[in-house]
Amino acid sequence: MSQASYATLVCDCETLKAKVATQAEVIEKLEARIVELVDQDRLIAELRCEIAELKGRLNTNSHNSSKPPSSDGYVKPAPRSLRRASGRHPGKQPGAKGARLLPVAHPDKVLYHAPSNCKSCGRDLRDADIIDTEARQVFDLPPMAPEVIEHRVQRRRCRCGTLSVASFPPEAKAPTCYGPRVRALAVSLVVGQHLPYARTAEVLRDMLATPVSTGAICAMVAEASKRVEPFIETLREGLSRAKVVHFDETGARVRGKLWWVHGASSESLTLYFVHPRRGILAMDAMDVLPGFTGVAQHDGWKPYLRYEDATHALCNAHHLRELEYVSSQMGQGWASEMAGLLLEIKAAVGRASDKGKVALDPRLLGRYLARYDRIVAAGFAANPLPERVSGKRGRRAKSKAANLLERLDRYRSEVLRFGTNFAVDFDNNLSERDVRMLKLQNKISGGWRSEEGAQAWVRVRSYLSTARKQGHNATEVLTQLWGVMRTLLPHSERARLQCRWRVAIW
């Protein structure tokens, strides 16, 4: 090879090496750009999910989510009930028991009003004949003032020389003290009517002429709490053996911190329990769910589902609100179909129950289950699970619709429990109504300054709520706590009433 050819070859090699280096540099830049674009796509996907979630939060209200009506602010959403038309006219239904003020046969006082002069000629009518009388009765309260009863204990000496002394009744604990009915009324105003201690003292002073200090009222609530402790244990045992129990929980302020009030309710029993935790520790401490073998109805919060001895039923009022959101805000038709199906099954259960049946026709139930599965399949077709998105936690980004579908699919038996067991309600409104009273207490009187005060309040509230569910007068059952039955009724009557109350509780 000539020297010139060798020089040319070397030059070409150098040129190629330069081109390869340039191309490698370009390739490196392109690879970096590809990595950057992939990261951008991942970031865009995460941001889209976050934007969709934030938009969903802005569009949620008390009608399409579990948010309370108080969170709607001043701009209330247009009223849209989840109920369907029943075909009945509004107001009192035919055959329903009415309620109105009826006259009594023997009034306490009768006042006569006679015309004094003739409206035509002006003649005096004091000696005129009475042709007719028209009566109207006014129900009013007499001027109220406390009745002071002085108990005097006598000492008597027998002929044998022995000195015998009588005993004071249980309510006469001191030279001066408040009687059972004053105590019962004070506790009823604080616990039953949610009045603060100061306003309760004002009511007793202004309306009943009974001055009671706030400290005395606080002591009355604490004493009532101690007296209902045996009842609370009996109540807990009754709920543990019940066939269906509704569970719910809500936040409350105790000592300035967030605590939780847990509720367990049946048609005739209510138990409240306050605890600093919301989950398993509190549920175990409440001591109803551990070992419970009946149907536990709740909103689907996962800690409830960890109690495997119980049969679970989910609240469909929550599902209807979530389906409303998916239908109205996300425009997915399967959600409205599912809501219609749930309400259709509810109506069928109501009709069957009215006819005395204990279960739906198996063929009808089979058709409902098939429709349920088809709607869930249509929902999954409209909401395919996304590919894995590598965020900070490496979680899949799923929409509200996808999460709802997974719950409806995984817990189909729990969702439709009301259709296979007529003892189970369509929703968890029973417990939610009971727990709502705690929110009312927080709004009116605020939180509790001590754990002892919170525990005392919820124990007495359990006693009152159970009494009301069983048709008992709240003031009367509170009065029984201080043993007034022993002084106002003969022994046979006391035994009959107290036995009836115990049987109703147990």
Side-chain angles (χ1 to χ4, degrees):
M1 179 182 293
S2 64
Q3 187 175 0
S5 298
Y6 180 76
T8 302
L9 183 61
V10 171
C11 182
D12 290 341
C13 288
E14 292 297 330
T15 303
L16 289 174
K17 287 181 180 180
K19 287 184 178 180
V20 170
T22 303
Q23 292 296 327
E25 185 178 351
V26 171
I27 291 172
E28 184 178 356
K29 290 182 179 179
L30 289 175
E31 289 178 346
R33 181 60 177 166
I34 290 173
V35 173
E36 183 181 350
L37 291 175
V38 171
D39 290 339
Q40 286 182 356
D41 290 340
R42 184 181 300 115
L43 179 61
I44 289 172
E46 291 180 1
L47 291 175
R48 283 178 175 172
C49 292
E50 186 175 352
I51 290 172
E53 182 180 354
L54 292 175
K55 284 185 176 180
R57 290 182 184 180
L58 289 174
N59 293 328
T60 56
N61 52 54
S62 59
H63 294 287
N64 58 21
S65 70
S66 298
K67 296 173 66 175
S70 58
S71 65
D72 293 334
Y74 292 106
V75 182
K76 300 292 183 182
R80 186 176 180 181
S81 176
L82 296 175
R83 298 179 180 177
R84 297 294 185 267
S86 63
R88 297 182 296 182
H89 297 289
K92 180 179 177 297
Q93 301 301 313
K97 183 179 179 180
R100 65 188 184 94
L101 190 62
L102 297 174
V104 298
H106 304 286
D108 299 310
K109 185 185 296 185
V110 177
L111 299 179
Y112 291 94
H113 305 275
S116 57
N117 300 94
C118 178
K119 64 179 182 180
S120 176
C121 65
R123 184 175 299 172
D124 188 359
L125 295 178
R126 282 179 293 183
D127 298 329
D129 295 334
I130 299 174
I131 304 302
D132 195 7
T133 299
E134 181 182 356
R136 296 182 181 181
Q137 294 184 353
V138 178
F139 291 71
D140 202 355
L141 294 174
M144 289 179 282
E147 180 187 34
V148 180
I149 302 175
E150 182 174 287
H151 297 273
R152 298 181 179 181
V153 169
Q154 295 180 346
R155 297 178 178 85
R156 297 192 178 187
R157 189 181 301 278
C158 180
R159 293 180 181 178
C160 68
T162 303
L163 184 65
S164 299
V165 183
S167 300
F168 284 104
E171 61 268 22
K173 298 180 178 181
T176 56
C177 54
Y178 297 106
R181 294 199 174 275
V182 173
R183 294 171 181 266
L185 180 58
V187 174
S188 178
L189 290 174
V190 171
V191 181
Q193 305 304 323
H194 310 283
L195 288 185
Y197 290 103
R199 289 173 57 188
T200 300
E202 290 180 5
V203 170
L204 294 174
R205 182 186 66 244
D206 298 341
M207 299 184 64
L208 304 178
T210 306
V212 184
S213 68
T214 56
I217 297 173
C218 184
M220 292 174 186
V221 175
E223 183 182 1
S225 172
K226 292 181 180 179
R227 290 176 177 269
V228 301
E229 284 181 359
F231 165 83
I232 296 298
E233 294 303 319
T234 304
L235 180 59
R236 185 176 285 110
E237 293 174 7
L239 286 168
S240 299
R241 296 193 300 267
K243 294 182 179 179
V244 180
V245 178
H246 298 248
F247 296 92
D248 201 2
E249 73 289 330
T250 188
R253 306 297 294 183
V254 179
R255 295 186 299 187
K257 297 180 180 180
L258 177 62
W259 282 43
W260 295 90
V261 178
H262 296 256
S265 304
S266 68
E267 292 293 338
S268 59
L269 306 175
T270 305
L271 175 64
Y272 296 105
F273 182 74
V274 64
H275 196 273
R277 303 294 292 274
R278 185 186 181 189
I280 296 294
L281 291 178
M283 295 175 184
D284 288 344
M286 192 178 185
D287 199 22
V288 175
L289 274 171
F292 179 68
T293 58
V295 178
Q297 189 153 17
H298 48 81
D299 56 9
W301 194 42
K302 288 187 177 180
Y304 289 117
L305 297 170
R306 294 184 61 178
Y307 293 92
E308 298 179 352
D309 292 339
T311 303
H312 295 274
L314 301 187
C315 173
N316 284 295
H318 284 73
H319 295 147
L320 290 180
R321 288 194 290 266
E322 293 181 71
L323 291 168
E324 169 66 20
Y325 173 85
V326 175
S327 175
S328 61
Q329 301 298 329
M330 303 179 70
Q332 299 189 15
W334 69 268
S336 59
E337 292 183 26
M338 179 61 77
L341 174 61
L342 292 175
L343 292 173
E344 185 178 339
I345 299 175
K346 177 185 177 184
V349 169
R351 291 192 297 269
S353 181
D354 291 340
K355 295 179 181 179
K357 298 181 179 179
V358 296
L360 290 176
D361 182 83
R363 292 175 296 178
L364 177 62
L365 182 60
R367 290 196 293 269
Y368 283 144
L369 295 177
R371 284 175 57 189
Y372 185 95
D373 292 338
R374 286 197 299 270
I375 294 173
V376 170
F380 278 122
N383 298 273
L385 293 179
E387 295 296 330
R388 183 180 178 85
V389 177
S390 299
K392 293 181 180 179
R393 301 182 181 177
R395 299 170 60 184
R396 282 185 173 183
K398 289 186 287 188
S399 64
K400 285 181 174 292
N403 287 325
L404 175 59
L405 278 167
E406 286 191 347
R407 191 187 325 136
L408 294 175
D409 183 39
R410 181 178 180 182
Y411 299 107
R412 185 185 75 164
S413 298
E414 288 78 5
V415 172
L416 299 178
R417 187 76 64 195
F418 74 98
T420 57
N421 184 353
F422 283 10
V424 178
D425 290 338
F426 177 77
D427 48 44
N428 196 37
N429 287 351
L430 174 63
S431 181
E432 291 186 359
R433 283 193 299 267
D434 289 337
V435 171
R436 191 174 297 126
M437 296 298 100
L438 277 300
K439 307 307 292 185
L440 184 62
Q441 167 70 13
N442 291 338
K443 289 180 180 179
I444 296 176
S445 298
W448 294 283
R449 295 183 179 181
S450 66
E451 178 183 354
E452 293 76 14
Q455 294 288 4
W457 196 96
V458 298
R459 279 197 289 263
V460 178
R461 182 73 197 186
S462 301
Y463 182 75
L464 288 179
S465 179
T466 301
R468 288 196 179 103
K469 285 183 177 181
Q470 299 181 15
H472 294 276
N473 181 279
T475 305
E476 290 299 325
V477 297
L478 283 172
T479 304
Q480 292 181 32
L481 290 179
W482 280 278
V484 75
M485 301 293 289
R486 290 192 294 270
T487 59
L488 298 184
L489 295 175
H491 178 75
S492 58
E493 184 70 5
R494 289 201 312 270
R496 185 181 66 82
L497 291 179
Q498 291 175 349
C499 179
R500 182 177 63 185
W501 174 232
R502 287 198 301 268
V503 169
I505 293 174
W506 294 347

